Amino acid sequence: MLLEANAPKAVKNRDDGGMTGQQRFVVVIFSVVVAALAGVFCFLSWERANQVAGIVSALVSIGSLGAALWAALATLPGTRVYVSRTGSATARDGGSANTGVITPSTSSAADTIRVDRTGDAESEGGEANSGVSAP
């Protein structure tokens, strides 16, 4: 059995430990807001600063609750697989050629699989797949 293939490049969720552009944006915005509040508190009387701090803490707590719920929903179980621009694959003598995704038959409906612009899969006497296949 001879199998000539460029393996599909399946990319799961990014987990390289670095900050994304959105995360940097959020850190910068919150830093500016904290610095602005510190400046405002310097020019207010103690009584007025106490009132402003109470309002700000209430708004921040509501925003934090929303962010926590959003993060919890974003991490629901399920696999996200994206396959794009794979090479071609040729199988001979009863082999199999795959340029897409082969999923286990136990794959749940929560799984997200996207296959885009896969290469040609050709087979002479075997199986060929260039999309999504579940045995």
PDB file of all heavy atoms in Angstrom, residues 21-53:
ATOM      1  N   GLY A  21      -4.780  40.627  20.055  1.00  0.00           N
ATOM      2  CA  GLY A  21      -4.996  42.058  19.894  1.00  0.00           C
ATOM      3  C   GLY A  21      -6.176  42.553  20.709  1.00  0.00           C
ATOM      4  O   GLY A  21      -6.150  43.650  21.270  1.00  0.00           O
ATOM      5  N   GLN A  22      -7.228  41.739  20.794  1.00  0.00           N
ATOM      6  CA  GLN A  22      -8.399  42.122  21.585  1.00  0.00           C
ATOM      7  C   GLN A  22      -8.058  42.201  23.064  1.00  0.00           C
ATOM      8  O   GLN A  22      -8.513  43.107  23.763  1.00  0.00           O
ATOM      9  CB  GLN A  22      -9.534  41.124  21.373  1.00  0.00           C
ATOM     10  CG  GLN A  22     -10.137  41.174  20.000  1.00  0.00           C
ATOM     11  CD  GLN A  22     -11.169  40.087  19.794  1.00  0.00           C
ATOM     12  OE1 GLN A  22     -11.128  39.051  20.446  1.00  0.00           O
ATOM     13  NE2 GLN A  22     -12.092  40.319  18.877  1.00  0.00           N
ATOM     14  N   GLN A  23      -7.253  41.270  23.541  1.00  0.00           N
ATOM     15  CA  GLN A  23      -6.870  41.292  24.951  1.00  0.00           C
ATOM     16  C   GLN A  23      -6.023  42.517  25.260  1.00  0.00           C
ATOM     17  O   GLN A  23      -6.206  43.159  26.295  1.00  0.00           O
ATOM     18  CB  GLN A  23      -6.111  40.011  25.313  1.00  0.00           C
ATOM     19  CG  GLN A  23      -6.988  38.786  25.311  1.00  0.00           C
ATOM     20  CD  GLN A  23      -6.194  37.505  25.428  1.00  0.00           C
ATOM     21  OE1 GLN A  23      -5.057  37.423  24.965  1.00  0.00           O
ATOM     22  NE2 GLN A  23      -6.784  36.499  26.053  1.00  0.00           N
ATOM     23  N   ARG A  24      -5.109  42.862  24.374  1.00  0.00           N
ATOM     24  CA  ARG A  24      -4.303  44.070  24.575  1.00  0.00           C
ATOM     25  C   ARG A  24      -5.195  45.311  24.608  1.00  0.00           C
ATOM     26  O   ARG A  24      -4.983  46.206  25.419  1.00  0.00           O
ATOM     27  CB  ARG A  24      -3.267  44.206  23.460  1.00  0.00           C
ATOM     28  CG  ARG A  24      -2.119  43.272  23.586  1.00  0.00           C
ATOM     29  CD  ARG A  24      -1.023  43.601  22.556  1.00  0.00           C
ATOM     30  NE  ARG A  24      -0.104  42.501  22.484  1.00  0.00           N
ATOM     31  CZ  ARG A  24      -0.114  41.570  21.545  1.00  0.00           C
ATOM     32  NH1 ARG A  24      -0.989  41.615  20.579  1.00  0.00           N
ATOM     33  NH2 ARG A  24       0.760  40.592  21.568  1.00  0.00           N
ATOM     34  N   PHE A  25      -6.169  45.358  23.716  1.00  0.00           N
ATOM     35  CA  PHE A  25      -7.099  46.482  23.661  1.00  0.00           C
ATOM     36  C   PHE A  25      -7.838  46.639  24.985  1.00  0.00           C
ATOM     37  O   PHE A  25      -7.950  47.743  25.522  1.00  0.00           O
ATOM     38  CB  PHE A  25      -8.083  46.281  22.506  1.00  0.00           C
ATOM     39  CG  PHE A  25      -9.120  47.357  22.392  1.00  0.00           C
ATOM     40  CD1 PHE A  25      -8.789  48.608  21.895  1.00  0.00           C
ATOM     41  CD2 PHE A  25     -10.430  47.120  22.780  1.00  0.00           C
ATOM     42  CE1 PHE A  25      -9.742  49.605  21.787  1.00  0.00           C
ATOM     43  CE2 PHE A  25     -11.392  48.109  22.689  1.00  0.00           C
ATOM     44  CZ  PHE A  25     -11.042  49.358  22.186  1.00  0.00           C
ATOM     45  N   VAL A  26      -8.328  45.532  25.526  1.00  0.00           N
ATOM     46  CA  VAL A  26      -9.060  45.569  26.792  1.00  0.00           C
ATOM     47  C   VAL A  26      -8.156  46.047  27.922  1.00  0.00           C
ATOM     48  O   VAL A  26      -8.554  46.878  28.748  1.00  0.00           O
ATOM     49  CB  VAL A  26      -9.676  44.186  27.113  1.00  0.00           C
ATOM     50  CG1 VAL A  26     -10.211  44.126  28.530  1.00  0.00           C
ATOM     51  CG2 VAL A  26     -10.778  43.865  26.121  1.00  0.00           C
ATOM     52  N   VAL A  27      -6.912  45.561  27.974  1.00  0.00           N
ATOM     53  CA  VAL A  27      -5.983  45.974  29.022  1.00  0.00           C
ATOM     54  C   VAL A  27      -5.697  47.465  28.925  1.00  0.00           C
ATOM     55  O   VAL A  27      -5.687  48.186  29.935  1.00  0.00           O
ATOM     56  CB  VAL A  27      -4.675  45.147  28.945  1.00  0.00           C
ATOM     57  CG1 VAL A  27      -3.587  45.743  29.827  1.00  0.00           C
ATOM     58  CG2 VAL A  27      -4.940  43.707  29.336  1.00  0.00           C
ATOM     59  N   VAL A  28      -5.493  47.974  27.717  1.00  0.00           N
ATOM     60  CA  VAL A  28      -5.208  49.403  27.538  1.00  0.00           C
ATOM     61  C   VAL A  28      -6.415  50.244  27.955  1.00  0.00           C
ATOM     62  O   VAL A  28      -6.270  51.243  28.677  1.00  0.00           O
ATOM     63  CB  VAL A  28      -4.803  49.697  26.071  1.00  0.00           C
ATOM     64  CG1 VAL A  28      -4.785  51.185  25.787  1.00  0.00           C
ATOM     65  CG2 VAL A  28      -3.444  49.083  25.782  1.00  0.00           C
ATOM     66  N   ILE A  29      -7.615  49.855  27.528  1.00  0.00           N
ATOM     67  CA  ILE A  29      -8.815  50.620  27.871  1.00  0.00           C
ATOM     68  C   ILE A  29      -9.022  50.659  29.379  1.00  0.00           C
ATOM     69  O   ILE A  29      -9.284  51.725  29.957  1.00  0.00           O
ATOM     70  CB  ILE A  29     -10.062  50.038  27.156  1.00  0.00           C
ATOM     71  CG1 ILE A  29      -9.955  50.253  25.659  1.00  0.00           C
ATOM     72  CG2 ILE A  29     -11.340  50.642  27.694  1.00  0.00           C
ATOM     73  CD1 ILE A  29      -9.869  51.704  25.239  1.00  0.00           C
ATOM     74  N   PHE A  30      -8.905  49.508  30.044  1.00  0.00           N
ATOM     75  CA  PHE A  30      -9.097  49.494  31.493  1.00  0.00           C
ATOM     76  C   PHE A  30      -8.006  50.274  32.213  1.00  0.00           C
ATOM     77  O   PHE A  30      -8.263  50.906  33.232  1.00  0.00           O
ATOM     78  CB  PHE A  30      -9.198  48.055  32.020  1.00  0.00           C
ATOM     79  CG  PHE A  30     -10.594  47.521  31.944  1.00  0.00           C
ATOM     80  CD1 PHE A  30     -10.951  46.654  30.933  1.00  0.00           C
ATOM     81  CD2 PHE A  30     -11.549  47.901  32.860  1.00  0.00           C
ATOM     82  CE1 PHE A  30     -12.240  46.173  30.839  1.00  0.00           C
ATOM     83  CE2 PHE A  30     -12.845  47.419  32.780  1.00  0.00           C
ATOM     84  CZ  PHE A  30     -13.193  46.552  31.766  1.00  0.00           C
ATOM     85  N   SER A  31      -6.804  50.282  31.710  1.00  0.00           N
ATOM     86  CA  SER A  31      -5.735  51.072  32.314  1.00  0.00           C
ATOM     87  C   SER A  31      -6.037  52.564  32.209  1.00  0.00           C
ATOM     88  O   SER A  31      -5.820  53.319  33.163  1.00  0.00           O
ATOM     89  CB  SER A  31      -4.390  50.768  31.636  1.00  0.00           C
ATOM     90  OG  SER A  31      -4.057  49.416  31.798  1.00  0.00           O
ATOM     91  N   VAL A  32      -6.540  52.991  31.065  1.00  0.00           N
ATOM     92  CA  VAL A  32      -6.906  54.402  30.882  1.00  0.00           C
ATOM     93  C   VAL A  32      -8.054  54.783  31.816  1.00  0.00           C
ATOM     94  O   VAL A  32      -8.041  55.848  32.434  1.00  0.00           O
ATOM     95  CB  VAL A  32      -7.269  54.671  29.399  1.00  0.00           C
ATOM     96  CG1 VAL A  32      -7.918  56.031  29.220  1.00  0.00           C
ATOM     97  CG2 VAL A  32      -6.036  54.538  28.526  1.00  0.00           C
ATOM     98  N   VAL A  33      -9.046  53.900  31.943  1.00  0.00           N
ATOM     99  CA  VAL A  33     -10.183  54.182  32.826  1.00  0.00           C
ATOM    100  C   VAL A  33      -9.720  54.288  34.280  1.00  0.00           C
ATOM    101  O   VAL A  33     -10.133  55.204  35.010  1.00  0.00           O
ATOM    102  CB  VAL A  33     -11.275  53.100  32.668  1.00  0.00           C
ATOM    103  CG1 VAL A  33     -12.320  53.208  33.757  1.00  0.00           C
ATOM    104  CG2 VAL A  33     -11.916  53.203  31.292  1.00  0.00           C
ATOM    105  N   VAL A  34      -8.856  53.393  34.722  1.00  0.00           N
ATOM    106  CA  VAL A  34      -8.356  53.440  36.104  1.00  0.00           C
ATOM    107  C   VAL A  34      -7.560  54.720  36.335  1.00  0.00           C
ATOM    108  O   VAL A  34      -7.716  55.381  37.369  1.00  0.00           O
ATOM    109  CB  VAL A  34      -7.508  52.178  36.415  1.00  0.00           C
ATOM    110  CG1 VAL A  34      -6.737  52.332  37.712  1.00  0.00           C
ATOM    111  CG2 VAL A  34      -8.408  50.961  36.475  1.00  0.00           C
ATOM    112  N   ALA A  35      -6.720  55.090  35.388  1.00  0.00           N
ATOM    113  CA  ALA A  35      -5.941  56.325  35.533  1.00  0.00           C
ATOM    114  C   ALA A  35      -6.860  57.546  35.573  1.00  0.00           C
ATOM    115  O   ALA A  35      -6.641  58.482  36.371  1.00  0.00           O
ATOM    116  CB  ALA A  35      -4.942  56.450  34.389  1.00  0.00           C
ATOM    117  N   ALA A  36      -7.896  57.563  34.740  1.00  0.00           N
ATOM    118  CA  ALA A  36      -8.838  58.689  34.737  1.00  0.00           C
ATOM    119  C   ALA A  36      -9.580  58.773  36.064  1.00  0.00           C
ATOM    120  O   ALA A  36      -9.764  59.872  36.617  1.00  0.00           O
ATOM    121  CB  ALA A  36      -9.815  58.547  33.575  1.00  0.00           C
ATOM    122  N   LEU A  37     -10.024  57.636  36.594  1.00  0.00           N
ATOM    123  CA  LEU A  37     -10.715  57.647  37.887  1.00  0.00           C
ATOM    124  C   LEU A  37      -9.798  58.130  39.008  1.00  0.00           C
ATOM    125  O   LEU A  37     -10.219  58.865  39.899  1.00  0.00           O
ATOM    126  CB  LEU A  37     -11.269  56.257  38.211  1.00  0.00           C
ATOM    127  CG  LEU A  37     -12.542  55.867  37.467  1.00  0.00           C
ATOM    128  CD1 LEU A  37     -12.885  54.408  37.744  1.00  0.00           C
ATOM    129  CD2 LEU A  37     -13.692  56.769  37.879  1.00  0.00           C
ATOM    130  N   ALA A  38      -8.545  57.716  38.970  1.00  0.00           N
ATOM    131  CA  ALA A  38      -7.593  58.177  39.980  1.00  0.00           C
ATOM    132  C   ALA A  38      -7.443  59.695  39.917  1.00  0.00           C
ATOM    133  O   ALA A  38      -7.401  60.375  40.953  1.00  0.00           O
ATOM    134  CB  ALA A  38      -6.242  57.495  39.791  1.00  0.00           C
ATOM    135  N   GLY A  39      -7.387  60.226  38.710  1.00  0.00           N
ATOM    136  CA  GLY A  39      -7.300  61.682  38.557  1.00  0.00           C
ATOM    137  C   GLY A  39      -8.545  62.391  39.062  1.00  0.00           C
ATOM    138  O   GLY A  39      -8.463  63.435  39.713  1.00  0.00           O
ATOM    139  N   VAL A  40      -9.715  61.833  38.764  1.00  0.00           N
ATOM    140  CA  VAL A  40     -10.977  62.433  39.224  1.00  0.00           C
ATOM    141  C   VAL A  40     -11.045  62.419  40.745  1.00  0.00           C
ATOM    142  O   VAL A  40     -11.432  63.403  41.380  1.00  0.00           O
ATOM    143  CB  VAL A  40     -12.184  61.682  38.612  1.00  0.00           C
ATOM    144  CG1 VAL A  40     -13.486  62.063  39.294  1.00  0.00           C
ATOM    145  CG2 VAL A  40     -12.266  61.956  37.116  1.00  0.00           C
ATOM    146  N   PHE A  41     -10.646  61.302  41.348  1.00  0.00           N
ATOM    147  CA  PHE A  41     -10.709  61.189  42.814  1.00  0.00           C
ATOM    148  C   PHE A  41      -9.775  62.194  43.499  1.00  0.00           C
ATOM    149  O   PHE A  41     -10.046  62.631  44.615  1.00  0.00           O
ATOM    150  CB  PHE A  41     -10.366  59.772  43.271  1.00  0.00           C
ATOM    151  CG  PHE A  41     -11.453  58.769  42.971  1.00  0.00           C
ATOM    152  CD1 PHE A  41     -11.122  57.458  42.684  1.00  0.00           C
ATOM    153  CD2 PHE A  41     -12.789  59.126  42.964  1.00  0.00           C
ATOM    154  CE1 PHE A  41     -12.105  56.518  42.402  1.00  0.00           C
ATOM    155  CE2 PHE A  41     -13.778  58.204  42.679  1.00  0.00           C
ATOM    156  CZ  PHE A  41     -13.442  56.903  42.397  1.00  0.00           C
ATOM    157  N   CYS A  42      -8.694  62.570  42.839  1.00  0.00           N
ATOM    158  CA  CYS A  42      -7.769  63.543  43.431  1.00  0.00           C
ATOM    159  C   CYS A  42      -8.399  64.921  43.575  1.00  0.00           C
ATOM    160  O   CYS A  42      -8.019  65.697  44.456  1.00  0.00           O
ATOM    161  CB  CYS A  42      -6.506  63.656  42.582  1.00  0.00           C
ATOM    162  SG  CYS A  42      -5.454  62.214  42.679  1.00  0.00           S
ATOM    163  N   PHE A  43      -9.355  65.273  42.722  1.00  0.00           N
ATOM    164  CA  PHE A  43      -9.932  66.614  42.730  1.00  0.00           C
ATOM    165  C   PHE A  43     -11.300  66.683  43.401  1.00  0.00           C
ATOM    166  O   PHE A  43     -11.916  67.739  43.440  1.00  0.00           O
ATOM    167  CB  PHE A  43     -10.031  67.146  41.294  1.00  0.00           C
ATOM    168  CG  PHE A  43      -8.689  67.331  40.655  1.00  0.00           C
ATOM    169  CD1 PHE A  43      -8.233  66.458  39.682  1.00  0.00           C
ATOM    170  CD2 PHE A  43      -7.863  68.373  41.048  1.00  0.00           C
ATOM    171  CE1 PHE A  43      -6.995  66.623  39.102  1.00  0.00           C
ATOM    172  CE2 PHE A  43      -6.619  68.546  40.471  1.00  0.00           C
ATOM    173  CZ  PHE A  43      -6.183  67.662  39.492  1.00  0.00           C
ATOM    174  N   LEU A  44     -11.799  65.577  43.917  1.00  0.00           N
ATOM    175  CA  LEU A  44     -13.096  65.567  44.583  1.00  0.00           C
ATOM    176  C   LEU A  44     -12.925  65.578  46.098  1.00  0.00           C
ATOM    177  O   LEU A  44     -11.902  65.152  46.633  1.00  0.00           O
ATOM    178  CB  LEU A  44     -13.883  64.309  44.189  1.00  0.00           C
ATOM    179  CG  LEU A  44     -14.294  64.184  42.720  1.00  0.00           C
ATOM    180  CD1 LEU A  44     -14.997  62.860  42.497  1.00  0.00           C
ATOM    181  CD2 LEU A  44     -15.189  65.337  42.304  1.00  0.00           C
ATOM    182  N   SER A  45     -13.973  66.056  46.770  1.00  0.00           N
ATOM    183  CA  SER A  45     -13.965  65.968  48.233  1.00  0.00           C
ATOM    184  C   SER A  45     -14.163  64.501  48.617  1.00  0.00           C
ATOM    185  O   SER A  45     -14.587  63.681  47.811  1.00  0.00           O
ATOM    186  CB  SER A  45     -15.085  66.833  48.815  1.00  0.00           C
ATOM    187  OG  SER A  45     -16.349  66.291  48.438  1.00  0.00           O
ATOM    188  N   TRP A  46     -13.859  64.173  49.881  1.00  0.00           N
ATOM    189  CA  TRP A  46     -13.984  62.789  50.323  1.00  0.00           C
ATOM    190  C   TRP A  46     -15.411  62.275  50.170  1.00  0.00           C
ATOM    191  O   TRP A  46     -15.633  61.142  49.760  1.00  0.00           O
ATOM    192  CB  TRP A  46     -13.543  62.652  51.782  1.00  0.00           C
ATOM    193  CG  TRP A  46     -12.061  62.689  51.939  1.00  0.00           C
ATOM    194  CD1 TRP A  46     -11.331  63.688  52.498  1.00  0.00           C
ATOM    195  CD2 TRP A  46     -11.131  61.694  51.526  1.00  0.00           C
ATOM    196  NE1 TRP A  46     -10.002  63.389  52.456  1.00  0.00           N
ATOM    197  CE2 TRP A  46      -9.850  62.152  51.862  1.00  0.00           C
ATOM    198  CE3 TRP A  46     -11.240  60.462  50.892  1.00  0.00           C
ATOM    199  CZ2 TRP A  46      -8.693  61.428  51.612  1.00  0.00           C
ATOM    200  CZ3 TRP A  46     -10.091  59.751  50.641  1.00  0.00           C
ATOM    201  CH2 TRP A  46      -8.844  60.215  50.991  1.00  0.00           C
ATOM    202  N   GLU A  47     -16.371  63.124  50.495  1.00  0.00           N
ATOM    203  CA  GLU A  47     -17.770  62.680  50.417  1.00  0.00           C
ATOM    204  C   GLU A  47     -18.184  62.404  48.968  1.00  0.00           C
ATOM    205  O   GLU A  47     -18.791  61.392  48.652  1.00  0.00           O
ATOM    206  CB  GLU A  47     -18.688  63.739  51.026  1.00  0.00           C
ATOM    207  CG  GLU A  47     -20.136  63.296  51.094  1.00  0.00           C
ATOM    208  CD  GLU A  47     -21.014  64.340  51.783  1.00  0.00           C
ATOM    209  OE1 GLU A  47     -20.625  64.832  52.851  1.00  0.00           O
ATOM    210  OE2 GLU A  47     -22.068  64.631  51.213  1.00  0.00           O
ATOM    211  N   ARG A  48     -17.835  63.305  48.076  1.00  0.00           N
ATOM    212  CA  ARG A  48     -18.183  63.152  46.658  1.00  0.00           C
ATOM    213  C   ARG A  48     -17.410  61.966  46.054  1.00  0.00           C
ATOM    214  O   ARG A  48     -17.962  61.193  45.267  1.00  0.00           O
ATOM    215  CB  ARG A  48     -17.875  64.442  45.910  1.00  0.00           C
ATOM    216  CG  ARG A  48     -18.211  64.404  44.436  1.00  0.00           C
ATOM    217  CD  ARG A  48     -19.662  64.227  44.162  1.00  0.00           C
ATOM    218  NE  ARG A  48     -20.357  65.466  44.415  1.00  0.00           N
ATOM    219  CZ  ARG A  48     -21.653  65.624  44.336  1.00  0.00           C
ATOM    220  NH1 ARG A  48     -22.409  64.595  44.014  1.00  0.00           N
ATOM    221  NH2 ARG A  48     -22.232  66.760  44.588  1.00  0.00           N
ATOM    222  N   ALA A  49     -16.138  61.795  46.405  1.00  0.00           N
ATOM    223  CA  ALA A  49     -15.343  60.678  45.896  1.00  0.00           C
ATOM    224  C   ALA A  49     -15.943  59.352  46.346  1.00  0.00           C
ATOM    225  O   ALA A  49     -15.946  58.377  45.587  1.00  0.00           O
ATOM    226  CB  ALA A  49     -13.900  60.801  46.366  1.00  0.00           C
ATOM    227  N   ASN A  50     -16.480  59.310  47.566  1.00  0.00           N
ATOM    228  CA  ASN A  50     -17.112  58.103  48.085  1.00  0.00           C
ATOM    229  C   ASN A  50     -18.356  57.753  47.265  1.00  0.00           C
ATOM    230  O   ASN A  50     -18.606  56.593  46.955  1.00  0.00           O
ATOM    231  CB  ASN A  50     -17.470  58.294  49.559  1.00  0.00           C
ATOM    232  CG  ASN A  50     -17.910  57.014  50.216  1.00  0.00           C
ATOM    233  OD1 ASN A  50     -17.569  55.933  49.755  1.00  0.00           O
ATOM    234  ND2 ASN A  50     -18.671  57.140  51.287  1.00  0.00           N
ATOM    235  N   GLN A  51     -19.137  58.749  46.887  1.00  0.00           N
ATOM    236  CA  GLN A  51     -20.336  58.513  46.080  1.00  0.00           C
ATOM    237  C   GLN A  51     -19.961  58.008  44.684  1.00  0.00           C
ATOM    238  O   GLN A  51     -20.557  57.055  44.173  1.00  0.00           O
ATOM    239  CB  GLN A  51     -21.156  59.792  45.967  1.00  0.00           C
ATOM    240  CG  GLN A  51     -21.796  60.226  47.267  1.00  0.00           C
ATOM    241  CD  GLN A  51     -22.421  61.610  47.150  1.00  0.00           C
ATOM    242  OE1 GLN A  51     -22.169  62.349  46.207  1.00  0.00           O
ATOM    243  NE2 GLN A  51     -23.254  61.946  48.148  1.00  0.00           N
ATOM    244  N   VAL A  52     -18.979  58.643  44.071  1.00  0.00           N
ATOM    245  CA  VAL A  52     -18.545  58.238  42.728  1.00  0.00           C
ATOM    246  C   VAL A  52     -17.978  56.810  42.772  1.00  0.00           C
ATOM    247  O   VAL A  52     -18.264  55.985  41.895  1.00  0.00           O
ATOM    248  CB  VAL A  52     -17.505  59.229  42.168  1.00  0.00           C
ATOM    249  CG1 VAL A  52     -16.879  58.696  40.881  1.00  0.00           C
ATOM    250  CG2 VAL A  52     -18.151  60.580  41.914  1.00  0.00           C
ATOM    251  N   ALA A  53     -17.197  56.506  43.816  1.00  0.00           N
ATOM    252  CA  ALA A  53     -16.610  55.170  43.932  1.00  0.00           C
ATOM    253  C   ALA A  53     -17.696  54.105  44.079  1.00  0.00           C
ATOM    254  O   ALA A  53     -17.575  53.007  43.518  1.00  0.00           O
ATOM    255  CB  ALA A  53     -15.652  55.115  45.121  1.00  0.00           C
TER     256      ALA A  53
END
